[in-house]
Amino acid sequence: MAGRLLKGVAALAVAGGAAGWWLTAPDPLPADHLAGLTGDAAAGEQVFIAAGCASCHTAPDAEAGQGLPILAGGQRFETDFGTFVAPNISTDPNHGIGGWSDMDLANAVQRGVSPGGAHYYPAFPYTAYARAGRQDIADLIAYMRTLPADATPSQPHDITFPFNVRRSLGGWKTLFRNEDWVVTGNLDSQVERGRYLVEALGHCGECHTPRNALGGLDRGNWLAGAVNPDGEGRIPDITPEGLGWSAPDISAYLESGFTPEFDTAGGTMVSVIKNTSRLSVQDRDAIAAYLVALP
Amino acid sequence: MKRLATAITVLSLTGLGTTAVAESHVDPAIAGAMKARQAHMQLYAHNIGVLGGMARERIAYDADAASAAASNIAALSQLDQSTYWPEGSDNSVEGSKALPAIWENLDDVMSMSEDLVMAAAAMEDAAGQGLGALKGAMGGLGGACGACHEDYRESDD
């Protein structure tokens, strides 16, 4: 009896382990994801700006807006899970992404999977970028390949147990990766564009939406404000009820950084404004239209 | 039952008492300095509001009013603020959003303050020269304010 029970437990453990291994396995994009697409680097620059890549991947002491961004990495992000260090994603063949294929890059950006098949930490907002259009990804890759190489080696993250077990991120992805749009229903073309900029490229929800204990986004409180993931204080509620700004106010803020009361953006939002100020007026207006249309 | 109600009343009174004590424990010198610098910021915001209202075309452009507001900002940017920022007035004090990093990086803060003097002077030159010139100087002014708020002010709702 005891022997049978043990055998049963052992079988279950093996089955559970196998299921766990399968559930935590990387899930790359289909091989033809970028098939037939030609990247346009000029269009890719706008994708790069809207996606805010430079905000995290330039060196800590880099001055924004001075020539082409040098994506040397090295910025540190102190979180509850440990310290993440943004890697070098410049075109350097050894220390950056110069040696990666287009599909390597697409899998990194949209699935959080490295060329070697390891999971990336979701400090890298691939769960938002997963919603990006294929042409935008092709354009982004074409643009990134025009940027300067930098030979600064990437530094390791400093993550505490159990979060330092990368395989467990597969489980995290199974639980929390959700490529569906948060706001659904009949949207006009401007609000739809705004949704794309906010929910996909701009990854606004990464800071403005609260997270559960395991770092999954609480989609029921979408953009309703959260503790600052990387520092003191709180990230504001930007729902219509929480913010109370008109669409023109929001659009003007995204251009100049001035609030309706002529206070200015602070904290990490300053680097976001450096990006949004370089988007087209139409795109800033679309973001504003989406935000005031939030339920 | 009545005892429970009494206990709750006592507890809530104690709670209220604690808050009042905590507030009265802010050193009056610190509280005064915080009030002064927040008033200084408010004067910036009010004058930038005149320029920003014109830039956003919410109010009609008026060269004299724009110049007056810009001169105020330029004058404010040059006031000596050394007594506004005593040590111990960081965001550990209720009502302060000033990050402790300010006092660890005073050289950087002072260099940002010089940048603001320059941006304010540029706005003073531009504000009376037409709406286009005013709009052109807004970004520099906003950038100078934001540079300090990026590193040295607590995020908030």
Side-chain angles (χ1 to χ4, degrees):
Chain A
M1 184 63 203
R4 231 210 231 144
L5 186 65
L6 266 180
K7 258 189 209 160
V9 168
L12 271 177
V14 169
W21 193 249
W22 178 75
L23 279 174
T24 58
D27 173 27
L29 294 162
D32 63 352
H33 186 65
L34 299 174
L37 300 175
T38 307
D40 172 348
E45 183 182 16
Q46 280 292 305
V47 177
F48 180 88
I49 291 167
C53 310
S55 299
C56 290
H57 286 283
T58 49
D61 52 359
E63 289 290 324
Q66 318 261 317
L68 291 172
I70 299 167
L71 306 175
Q75 287 189 45
R76 300 173 72 81
F77 302 91
E78 321 270 345
T79 75
D80 288 347
F81 308 104
T83 300
F84 296 98
V85 188
N88 181 333
I89 57 163
S90 78
T91 46
D92 187 273
N94 299 314
H95 299 289
I97 50 85
W100 295 22
S101 72
D102 287 357
M103 279 306 294
D104 285 342
L105 279 162
N107 271 312
V109 170
Q110 298 203 274
R111 288 295 166 97
V113 176
S114 79
H119 293 295
Y120 288 128
Y121 287 100
F124 176 25
Y126 50 80
T127 52
Y129 297 155
R131 303 185 182 106
R134 294 189 312 134
Q135 183 64 53
D136 274 0
I137 295 299
D139 292 346
L140 173 68
I141 292 169
Y143 173 70
M144 286 177 71
R145 296 207 187 282
T146 69
L147 296 178
D150 182 283
T152 309
S154 293
Q155 295 160 43
H157 304 310
D158 182 11
I159 307 300
T160 50
F161 184 81
F163 307 110
N164 58 355
V165 182
R166 277 193 188 255
R167 187 79 192 191
S168 66
L169 288 165
W172 187 92
K173 288 177 175 176
T174 303
L175 289 171
F176 302 122
R177 203 183 72 181
N178 182 344
E179 293 182 21
D180 298 339
W181 297 111
V182 180
V183 174
T184 53
N186 273 334
L187 311 179
D188 69 30
S189 60
Q190 187 186 38
V191 173
E192 199 165 88
R193 173 68 182 164
R195 178 178 69 174
Y196 181 71
L197 290 164
V198 171
E199 295 189 17
L201 299 185
H203 61 279
C204 309
E206 298 291 311
C207 288
H208 286 280
T209 299
R211 291 174 186 275
N212 61 29
L214 290 174
L217 289 178
D218 175 5
R219 289 164 63 106
N221 281 303
W222 185 242
L223 302 179
V227 295
N228 185 354
D230 175 40
E232 300 191 54
R234 284 185 61 82
I235 306 293
D237 179 345
I238 53 170
T239 62
E241 201 179 320
L243 191 61
W245 297 2
S246 68
D249 278 342
I250 295 170
S251 186
Y253 172 76
L254 295 174
E255 182 185 14
S256 68
F258 281 118
T259 71
E261 296 79 34
F262 293 95
D263 188 359
T264 70
T268 42
M269 195 63 197
V270 173
S271 65
V272 177
I273 300 285
K274 282 174 190 158
N275 294 320
T276 55
S277 64
R278 298 171 65 205
L279 295 177
S280 67
V281 181
Q282 290 79 7
D283 276 353
R284 280 192 294 271
D285 287 350
I287 293 171
Y290 167 88
L291 289 176
V292 298
L294 282 173
Chain B
M1 192 62 208
K2 202 171 169 198
R3 231 205 233 149
L4 182 65
T6 312
I8 288 171
T9 310
V10 169
L11 272 177
S12 52
L13 282 176
T14 319
L16 284 174
T18 312
T19 315
V21 168
E23 273 168 12
S24 70
H25 272 194
V26 177
D27 179 336
I30 298 269
M34 281 166 49
K35 251 188 201 166
R37 71 196 189 209
Q38 286 167 5
H40 189 95
M41 296 294 179
Q42 190 57 46
L43 286 173
Y44 277 130
H46 180 78
N47 286 286
I48 294 168
V50 173
L51 301 173
M54 292 181 194
R56 293 184 188 184
E57 300 185 32
R58 263 192 232 133
I59 51 177
Y61 175 72
D62 175 330
D64 290 340
S67 289
S71 296
N72 285 350
I73 294 164
L76 285 166
S77 74
Q78 299 198 48
L79 290 187
D80 182 291
Q81 293 196 34
S82 49
T83 59
Y84 293 5
W85 304 90
E87 293 229 20
S89 63
D90 58 40
N91 63 339
S92 62
V93 179
E94 175 97 30
S96 171
K97 292 187 209 161
L99 294 179
I102 291 173
W103 290 270
E104 292 155 17
N105 301 282
L106 283 175
D107 288 349
D108 188 42
V109 173
M110 290 314 292
S111 126
M112 286 179 174
S113 156
E114 289 302 311
D115 292 345
L116 175 61
V117 170
M118 307 273 283
M123 177 56 93
E124 195 176 17
D125 288 341
Q129 307 294 319
L131 185 56
L134 185 159
K135 283 183 178 174
M138 281 304 282
L141 192 55
C145 301
C148 209
H149 293 159
E150 178 173 19
D151 294 335
Y152 300 116
R153 185 176 68 174
E154 181 184 298
S155 300
D156 71 323
D157 291 286

